[in-house]
Amino acid sequence: VDLHSKCNAEHAKIVFSTSVLYGSLTLFISILHNVFLLYYVETFVSVYKIDKVSFWVGETIFLIWNSVNDPLFGWLSDHAFLNSPQSGSHLTSPEVVLKRLKALSRNGPLFALSFLAFWVAWARPGLQFLLCLCLYDGFLTMVDLHHSALLADLAVSAADRTRLNFHCSVFSALGSLSVFLSYSFWDKEDFYSFRLFCVALATFSVLGFFFVSRLLRHRFQREIRPRLDEAQTLTELSVNSPHTQSEKPVTVGQYLRQLSKHKNFMWFVSMNLIQVFHCHFNNNFFPLFLEHLLSDNISASTGSILLGISYVAPHLNNLYFLTLCQRYGVYKVIRWLFMLKLGLSVAMLLAGADHVYLLCVFIASNRVFTEGTCKLLKLVISDLVDEDFVLHRRQQATSALLFGMVALLTKPGQTLAPLFGTWLLCVYTGYDVFQRQPGKDPAAPVSDVYAAGTPPLRIGCFHMLVFVPITCALLQLAAWSRFTLHGRKLQGIKTLRQGSLHSPAIDVKAI
């Protein structure tokens, strides 16, 4: 009994350490990325004085690169798995996991170094803007793809994947604190302190990626090496087996046709495209809503608190969502979040725009729940990796490639959000965020604006605030109702995936 208890204690220690190490990788990403999102535009516009044409040209090229590099890097990473002649490959092959950890140990530090390139002027502003954005996003994509793919490669069971995601949320919340610290160093007139702050963040990130990825690789090699040797023996014994068949390579066209016939993948992408749109709509228009709906009724400090809550709360809230996922399943939790979004938006519409504190709660909660939903979707993509593996009888799961294809098809939502929002605001209220026209200034009296045939800007912002989430929720509920990879079918897929192997899956509990 004592020996059994000792083994259980040691086993628990190993599980905790592995989950923490995997989750800590998100800390080294988020401490840099949050600062990047908050300051890179202001740096080039106010400090480096980039011209408008160079800015928009750089953003346009960046949007194209941002959409293309995910499937490109995913294909470069995983296309060999589609062409593997081996049969009976392991579900989460040790070579695959070690390859992803090696890629993280190499690309993680390079990602941190590319972050530093923004804060020192080393070329003409237009050229530096374009090169920095593309370089930074390229390394970010490599890091994010391999880290996300590990979620599907390290674990198969929903409980283990939820545990890994749980620790990612904890460290992402810690990484958001870099935003608050940055306010103490940010000064457009004196950039020296902010540069030192960014160097400190990048140094911490470089060391973190290097040591954590190496530690995970060593632990993985130590724990899995006996299984790898056994798998190699089984492969050698089955070389001359009459049942061994050589698989034809899968081309890009064949893979795309397979995905187009993968119904759950298509319904998920449809839902996720709307989700990406809604997340970025909230990000883009959060300051506008604060300014025109609340600025006259709340202090600047209250607005800052709302902004801070909207950054940190999604990560903390996700910890509770993940416990619900363990109990009820990811599908049901996401459906409840869509219904909650719809219910809160309808309630806010009925209450009207005059309830200031209710508006504060709604603006913050709308972003928190929307971002929280986004953070659960990696679990669904990991399940789609399992289904793709089973449906097409893959020799090896193509985790990074599938994550990349999801990004390719959903990232247009990032561009549609500001375009649609500014267009809708202009059509509905006559207010152009780029150039205010005479007679339609938001400061004009309400009666004058109504006389001109358009509602006041405040009412227009309120209607955008409530009708966009209502529309998104209805469309997402419709698409999500057609998604069938949950319940018994999901368990059947996982059973088939594990049953197709000669050896059991590498589980987080076993590392």
Side-chain angles (χ1 to χ4, degrees), residues 24-287:
S24 67
L25 292 172
T26 60
L27 171 63
F28 311 129
I29 300 173
S30 60
I31 60 171
L32 302 183
H33 194 54
N34 288 329
V35 173
F36 160 79
L37 290 175
L38 199 58
Y39 295 109
Y40 87 94
V41 172
E42 184 71 11
T43 296
F44 275 91
V45 172
S46 301
V47 179
Y48 300 155
K49 309 298 183 182
I50 188 174
D51 62 277
K52 185 177 182 180
V53 174
S54 298
F55 179 80
W56 284 109
V57 169
E59 283 285 2
T60 302
I61 297 175
F62 167 65
L63 287 174
I64 298 172
W65 171 244
N66 189 27
S67 298
V68 170
N69 62 22
D70 289 89
L72 174 63
F73 293 157
W75 178 262
L76 292 176
S77 173
D78 288 2
H79 76 279
F81 304 153
L82 297 174
N83 305 336
S84 175
Q86 300 173 355
S87 70
S89 297
H90 288 280
L91 171 62
T92 51
S93 170
E95 296 95 330
V96 175
V97 176
L98 290 174
K99 175 185 176 182
R100 301 211 190 283
L101 292 174
K102 184 178 180 180
L104 284 172
S105 67
R106 180 177 61 251
N107 291 295
L110 292 175
F111 159 70
L113 293 177
S114 68
F115 167 79
L116 289 179
F118 284 93
W119 318 117
V120 177
W122 48 269
R124 290 189 296 108
L127 179 62
Q128 181 178 348
F129 183 70
L130 174 61
L131 293 179
C132 282
L133 277 180
C134 292
L135 189 67
Y136 175 85
D137 187 70
F139 286 118
L140 175 62
T141 298
M142 290 293 290
V143 170
D144 192 51
L145 271 181
H146 285 290
H147 185 260
S148 299
L150 278 176
L151 182 65
D153 292 335
L154 281 174
V156 176
S157 71
D160 290 336
R161 285 177 177 172
T162 301
R163 183 182 295 109
L164 291 172
N165 209 351
F166 179 91
H167 286 89
C168 287
S169 296
V170 172
F171 284 100
S172 293
L174 292 175
S176 299
L177 296 178
S178 64
V179 172
F180 295 97
L181 292 175
S182 65
Y183 284 114
S184 303
F185 298 93
W186 174 254
D187 186 353
K188 292 186 293 185
E189 305 302 327
D190 184 8
F191 218 50
Y192 181 74
S193 297
F194 185 75
R195 287 192 180 110
L196 290 180
F197 173 71
C198 290
V199 169
L201 290 180
T203 302
F204 177 75
S205 183
V206 167
L207 295 175
F209 272 115
F210 181 77
F211 286 110
V212 171
S213 58
R214 282 178 64 88
L215 186 56
L216 275 171
R217 285 171 61 192
H218 291 159
R219 171 172 297 170
F220 189 85
Q221 289 173 321
R222 184 178 67 251
E223 298 294 333
I224 300 305
R225 182 56 57 186
R227 300 184 181 195
L228 180 58
D229 294 339
E230 181 182 355
Q232 183 65 30
T233 302
L234 289 173
T235 301
E236 292 172 355
L237 291 175
S238 64
V239 167
N240 297 320
S241 172
H243 300 289
T244 301
Q245 299 177 352
S246 61
E247 299 290 336
K248 294 182 179 180
V250 179
T251 64
V252 176
Q254 289 174 329
Y255 182 77
L256 293 178
R257 284 193 293 272
Q258 290 173 349
L259 278 187
S260 67
K261 296 177 181 179
H262 189 170
K263 292 184 179 180
N264 281 324
F265 174 82
M266 299 306 295
W267 284 117
F268 172 79
V269 166
S270 301
M271 178 276 293
N272 195 18
L273 174 63
I274 302 171
Q275 186 66 24
V276 171
F277 167 85
H278 192 200
C279 284
H280 284 80
F281 178 86
N282 287 339
N283 291 335
N284 297 147
F285 293 97
F286 194 100

Side-chain angles (χ1 to χ4, degrees), residues 44 55 125 252 255 386 401 414 432 464 469:
F44 275 91
F55 179 80
V252 176
Y255 182 77
D386 297 340
L401 182 54
Q414 296 182 12
D432 189 346
M464 283 180 60

Side-chain angles (χ1 to χ4, degrees), residues 415-430:
T415 306
L416 291 175
L419 293 178
F420 177 79
T422 53
W423 172 82
L424 183 63
L425 192 65
C426 184
V427 169
Y428 185 57
T429 68

Side-chain angles (χ1 to χ4, degrees), residues 393-463:
R393 300 179 180 180
R394 306 283 189 212
Q395 301 303 320
Q396 173 62 47
T398 54
S399 310
L401 182 54
L402 196 66
F403 272 94
M405 291 305 300
V406 169
L408 172 67
L409 297 174
T410 58
K411 278 190 175 180
Q414 296 182 12
T415 306
L416 291 175
L419 293 178
F420 177 79
T422 53
W423 172 82
L424 183 63
L425 192 65
C426 184
V427 169
Y428 185 57
T429 68
Y431 174 64
D432 189 346
V433 296
F434 300 105
Q435 182 179 0
R436 298 180 182 181
Q437 299 177 7
K440 294 184 180 181
D441 191 271
V446 173
S447 58
D448 293 345
V449 182
Y450 270 124
T454 58
L457 180 59
R458 185 171 186 274
I459 298 301
C461 287
F462 176 75
H463 287 166

Side-chain angles (χ1 to χ4, degrees), residues 297-366:
N297 301 293
I298 64 173
S299 63
S301 60
T302 304
S304 299
I305 292 174
L306 282 177
L307 184 63
I309 290 174
S310 71
Y311 267 91
V312 179
H315 303 293
L316 300 178
N317 214 30
N318 198 41
L319 303 180
Y320 175 65
F321 292 156
L322 288 171
T323 60
L324 293 179
C325 289
Q326 288 183 314
R327 181 177 299 180
Y328 301 106
V330 181
Y331 176 84
K332 287 185 177 180
V333 173
I334 292 177
R335 186 178 62 181
W336 292 341
L337 287 172
F338 291 155
M339 295 174 67
L340 179 63
K341 177 165 64 177
L342 178 62
L344 289 175
S345 302
V346 171
M348 190 69 248
L349 176 64
L350 296 176
D354 297 327
H355 296 79
V356 176
Y357 292 105
L358 192 59
L359 269 175
C360 290
V361 172
F362 177 76
I363 290 175
S365 64
N366 182 38

